[in-house]
Every structure is written in C-alpha cells, then in structure tokens.
C-alpha cells in the first residue's frame, strides 16, 4: 500500500512516517512545505529507505498537488499538514486559515479527481471547544471552536465530510487530544517547559494554570491513525484521546520534579485570549471498532520525553534559533514584562 502523507516533517507527521517505515510495509511519499515547524532532521532514520520519498511543496499549490497525486497514484492520503499552534493563530490567523482550510480543499479536490481510495483527515479535540466537567465529547458532540486554529480545523473537518457526503470520497476524520513526546517543536506546553527548565529559564504558566488537557503520547496517536487507515469506516469520525486529563500546573510540577528544578521557575503570566478551560474526549468508538487503546502511562512518557530533550540539545538549539526567538519575544514579552 502506498500513501501520501502531508506534513510528515512536523512533530506528529514525522512520528507517523518513522512508524510507517519502521513497523509496517507501507510505502510513504511525504509532502511538506518545511515551514518553521517542519524539520527534515526528524526523518534522518528513514531518509534512505527505498519505501520513502520526500517532496518539498505546499498543500495550497493546486498544480503541484494534482501532479503529485496523479503521478504517485497512492492508495490513501493521510493529511497532517497544518498550522498547529493556537497562540500563533491568535497573533497571525491568515496562514492558519490558508493552510488548514484552503490546503485541505486543494488535497480533497486532487483526491476526488484521482479517485483516491482513502482520505484520513487528521483533526483535533479542540473543535469541540471547552467542556464543563464531567462531560466528555463523543463524535456526535457539537462543534464549538474558540480560536482561529480550532475554527480552521472545524471548518476543514466539515469540508472533508462534505466530500464524503456529496462526492462519495472515502474520507475518515480523526480528532486527537494533546500530543507530547520527542521531536515536538518547543512552542507547545510540554517541550517549551522542558527546554526552559533545562536552561533554568522562567516557565510561563497562562492564567491560573488550572486549564485541563488530556495528554496522549505521540506514538499512541500514530497507532490510532494506522488503525483508522486500515479499519476505520468511510465517512466516520474517530476520537483519539490519551485518557489522562491533568491541569497544566500539575504537568509543570511533574516536569520540575523529574528535572530536579525549583518551583521558583514558575511565572504566572497573562492568559491566552479565548483560552479553553477544559478538553475531554471519549475514544470508546475507536477502541470498540479497532481494539486500539493508549498504552503509554503519562509519568513514563513524560520522563522519556524529558530524557529525549536532554539527549538532543543540538536539535533543540537548532530549532530555537532564528524565527523561534522572534516568536518567543512577540508571544511572551508583553505577558511577562521581561
Ligand atoms: P506541526 O506544527 O509540528 O507540523 C506541521 C507540519 O506541516 C510541518 O512539517 C509543516 O512544515 C507542515 N506544513 C505546514 N503548512 C504546510 C503547507 N501549507 N503545505 C505543506 N506542509 C505544511 O504539527 P503537529 O503538532 O505535528 O500536528 C499535525 C496535525 O495533527 C495537525 O493537523 C494538527 O492540527 C493535528 N493535531 C495536533 C495535535 C497536537 O497536540 N500537536 C493534537 C491533535 C491534532
Ligand atoms: O487538544 C489538541 C491540540 O493541542 C492540538 O490540536 C494543537 O495543535 C496543539 O497545539 C494543542 O493545543 P493547546 O492549545 O492545548 O496546546 P499548547 O501546548 O499550546 O497549550 C497547552 C495548555 O498549556 C493550554 O492550556 C495553554 C497552556 N500554556 C501553553 C503555553 C505554550 C501555558 O500555560 N503556557 C505556555 O507557554
């Protein structure tokens, strides 16, 4: 089976490509624009595989996408490429809407024209918005996105679904909770806090730090996507949660304990506008239909992730140079007054 993966140089996409090449017999064509979040260093372990090909390109480039899909004739497209960061979507929504909505449209059109046998659209639990406890979102839960990022993902989910209903394109949608693990760009909570803590820098906690997220180890997410690729039913949506809900401050405390750094590094800073208070997801459907379940225990996964960042300081300093510094300044200077 041959698949086109989009966004395979990013955090989750690269974990999926490494798993597909290392643990399955899938042939993978990786289409990635190499934005600030895309990094071919994430793929050195698969770069020379005969079952792997990298194509540098933008999913919004209709001519390029059409030519690639027509040339490769893949059995499936697994679509990860996105602008994935909520804070950046608040600072600068245009590239978010462009890639997440227009880019998805471009791919759906090429998939339709070339009669692709499966289109896995990788989405997020953020489309359900903030949930009051004890509610959990199942796949029928109403969409209620809060940020330009989550609204662009919800819009692309609806567009993907319309291609199933109207054109019978075999679309399957996944909605996962917060991922963590090796190779995550240090703009997201866990890698940002780890890389700051390892350098004794302040840990910027938004608001009161009591916002709740459900943590999913990235390899558990990738196994869920493989299960959906193979066994998911056309036109269906599958939630993929980590079954480990924690307030942000608990995550930061655990991380400080493992790194043996002081709590005095914590800085309470101005909250994110429109900040969702709580996400909670039921993955019962995926578990029932495919036998998938998340296997990584959070404490083990966090310790493993911290060790990876300790062992890969060259990767960290590379991705934190240049553009990252400008972003960090823009997002944090006004919050911390530093
Ligand atoms: P990421 O930001 O780490 O990587 C995104 C990748 O997409 C990068 O390699 C980037 O170069 C590429 N890309 C961006 N714009 C592109 C374009 N126009 N054309 C081609 N490539 C482009 O993202 P991630 O955290 O790995 O997330 C991957 C997917 O999973 C996204 O669709 C995201 O919405 C979804 N998701 C993420 C999480 C999470 O916790 N990170 C949770 C649930 C769902
Ligand atoms: O829920 C799935 C989503 O998880 C994905 O769709 C997104 O792509 C991914 O970025 C993530 O979104 P979040 O906004 O939940 O992740 P982030 O790591 O940015 O923030 C997690 C929580 O930590 C959130 O409540 C905001 C808070 N936070 C984040 C940062 C970066 C802080 O308190 N301080 C920070 O510096």
């Amino acid at each position: 089976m041959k698949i086109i993966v989009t966004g395979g140089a990013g955090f989750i996409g690269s974990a999926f490509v490494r798993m597909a090449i290392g643990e399955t017999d899938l042939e993978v064509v990786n289409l990635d624009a190499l934005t600030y979040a895309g990094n071919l260093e994430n793929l050195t372990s698969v770069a020379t595989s005969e079952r792997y090909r990298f194509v540098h390109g933008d999913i919004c480039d209709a001519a390029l996408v059409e030519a690639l899909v027509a040339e490769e004739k893949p059995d499936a497209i697994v679509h990860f490429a996105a602008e994935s960061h909520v804070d950046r979507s608040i600072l600068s929504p245009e590239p978010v809407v462009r890639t997440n909505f227009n880019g998805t449209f471009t791919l759906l059109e090429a998939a339709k024209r070339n009669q692709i046998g499966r289109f896995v659209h990788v989405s997020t639990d953020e489309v359900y918005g903030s949930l009051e406890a004890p509610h959990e979102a199942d796949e029928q839960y109403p969409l209620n996105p809060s940020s330009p990022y989550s609204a662009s993902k919800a819009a692309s989910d609806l567009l993907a679904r319309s291609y199933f209903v109207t054109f019978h394109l075999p679309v399957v949608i996944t909605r996962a909770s917060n991922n963590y693990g090796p190779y995550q760009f240090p703009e997201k909570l866990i890698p940002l806090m780890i890389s700051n803590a390892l350098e004794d820098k302040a840990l910027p906690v938004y608001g009161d730090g009591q916002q709740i997220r459900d943590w999913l180890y990235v390899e558990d997410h990738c196994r869920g996507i493989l299960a959906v690729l193979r066994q998911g039913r056309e036109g269906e949506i599958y939630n993929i949660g980590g079954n480990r809900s924690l307030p942000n401050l608990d995550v930061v405390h655990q991380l400080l304990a493992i790194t043996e750094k002081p709590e005095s590094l914590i800085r309470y800073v101005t909250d994110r506008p429109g900040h969702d208070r709580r996400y909670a997801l039921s993955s019962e459907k995926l578990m029932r239909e495919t036998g998938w379940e998340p296997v990584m225990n959070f404490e083990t996964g966090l310790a493993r992730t911290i060790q990876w960042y300790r062992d890969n300081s060259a990767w960290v300093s590379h991705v934190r140079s240049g553009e990252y510094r400008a972003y960090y300044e823009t997002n944090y200077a006004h919050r911390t007054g530093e």
Side-chain angles (χ1 to χ4, degrees):
M1 186 178 184
K2 184 197 277 186
I3 59 174
I4 290 181
V5 168
T6 71
F11 164 51
I12 305 171
S14 69
F16 183 81
V17 172
R18 291 192 301 274
M19 185 175 280
I21 297 298
E23 299 177 27
T24 77
D25 57 5
L26 288 167
E27 198 179 323
V28 177
V29 178
N30 173 17
L31 172 63
D32 197 298
L34 299 181
T35 68
Y36 77 91
N39 187 349
L40 291 179
E41 289 172 50
N42 302 353
L43 294 161
T44 45
S45 63
V46 301
T48 58
S49 166
E50 286 181 356
R51 288 188 287 116
Y52 173 72
R53 175 185 171 206
F54 176 68
V55 177
H56 187 195
D58 189 331
I59 59 165
C60 302
D61 182 339
L64 179 145
V65 169
E66 171 63 30
L68 182 68
V69 174
E71 177 198 344
E72 293 288 353
K73 299 183 179 50
D75 300 291
I77 294 176
V78 184
H79 174 35
F80 292 95
E83 289 291 338
S84 67
H85 190 34
V86 172
D87 291 318
R88 287 186 194 251
S89 84
I90 294 167
L91 292 169
S92 181
E94 194 277 337
V96 178
V97 174
R98 178 181 173 278
T99 285
N100 299 3
F101 188 72
N102 296 353
T104 301
F105 167 64
T106 305
L107 289 165
L108 288 165
E109 275 291 295
K112 170 169 74 92
R113 270 194 303 271
N114 290 280
Q115 300 179 329
I116 300 305
R118 176 144 292 214
F119 189 102
V120 180
H121 175 67
V122 178
S123 190
T124 168
D125 64 354
E126 296 207 9
V127 298
Y128 300 120
S130 202
L131 276 75
E132 291 290 333
H135 296 294
E136 283 188 338
D138 64 12
E139 290 80 359
Q140 304 307 317
Y141 204 84
L143 301 185
N144 190 23
S146 306
S147 70
Y149 164 72
S150 51
S152 72
K153 293 296 290 189
S156 65
D157 288 15
L158 293 177
L159 190 66
R161 183 175 145 68
S162 80
Y163 272 64
F164 169 73
V165 176
T166 306
F167 305 116
H168 311 297
L169 182 71
V171 170
V172 192
I173 297 171
T174 63
R175 293 182 178 149
S177 61
N178 282 62
N179 282 221
Y180 70 104
Y183 297 98
Q184 188 168 26
F185 194 82
E187 62 188 357
K188 310 282 166 56
L189 179 77
I190 287 183
L192 185 142
M193 296 296 178
I194 294 173
S195 49
N196 280 15
L198 292 179
E199 293 183 3
D200 299 305
K201 289 186 175 151
L203 309 186
V205 171
Y206 294 166
D208 62 5
Q210 293 306 318
Q211 303 83 5
I212 292 176
R213 297 292 183 267
D214 171 17
W215 293 99
L216 172 67
Y217 195 67
V218 65
E219 287 173 12
D220 280 335
H221 185 189
C222 292
R223 283 191 305 99
I225 292 170
L226 277 176
V228 167
L229 174 66
R230 289 170 174 146
Q231 298 164 259
R233 286 181 293 127
E234 291 175 9
E236 293 293 320
I237 300 167
Y238 294 90
N239 289 343
I240 310 180
N243 199 22
R244 190 60 196 270
S245 291
L246 288 170
N248 294 337
L249 205 52
D250 285 19
V251 173
V252 174
H253 282 138
Q254 285 196 39
L255 189 150
L256 284 171
I258 298 171
T259 53
E260 299 181 330
K261 298 290 182 179
E263 307 251 325
S264 58
L265 286 181
I266 294 174
R267 294 273 188 294
Y268 291 95
V269 301
T270 311
D271 208 349
R272 173 186 278 173
H275 198 169
D276 284 334
R277 197 75 186 157
R278 175 177 174 271
Y279 299 140
L281 206 54
S282 164
S283 319
E284 201 270 330
K285 178 176 173 183
L286 181 64
M287 293 166 77
R288 179 169 29 86
E289 291 191 18
T290 72
W292 172 89
E293 58 180 352
V295 294
M296 180 60 81
N297 157 283
F298 182 73
E299 286 69 24
T300 311
L302 184 63
R304 197 175 283 188
T305 303
I306 290 171
Q307 191 57 45
W308 187 89
Y309 281 85
R310 279 191 199 281
D311 294 343
N312 289 275
S313 54
W315 184 94
V316 174
S317 60
H318 184 186
V319 302
R320 285 168 105 202
S321 63
E323 189 276 347
Y324 182 78
R325 288 200 198 143
Y327 161 73
Y328 202 90
E329 173 73 17
T330 310
N331 194 48
Y332 291 98
H334 71 281
R335 288 195 150 101
T336 58
E338 284 170 10

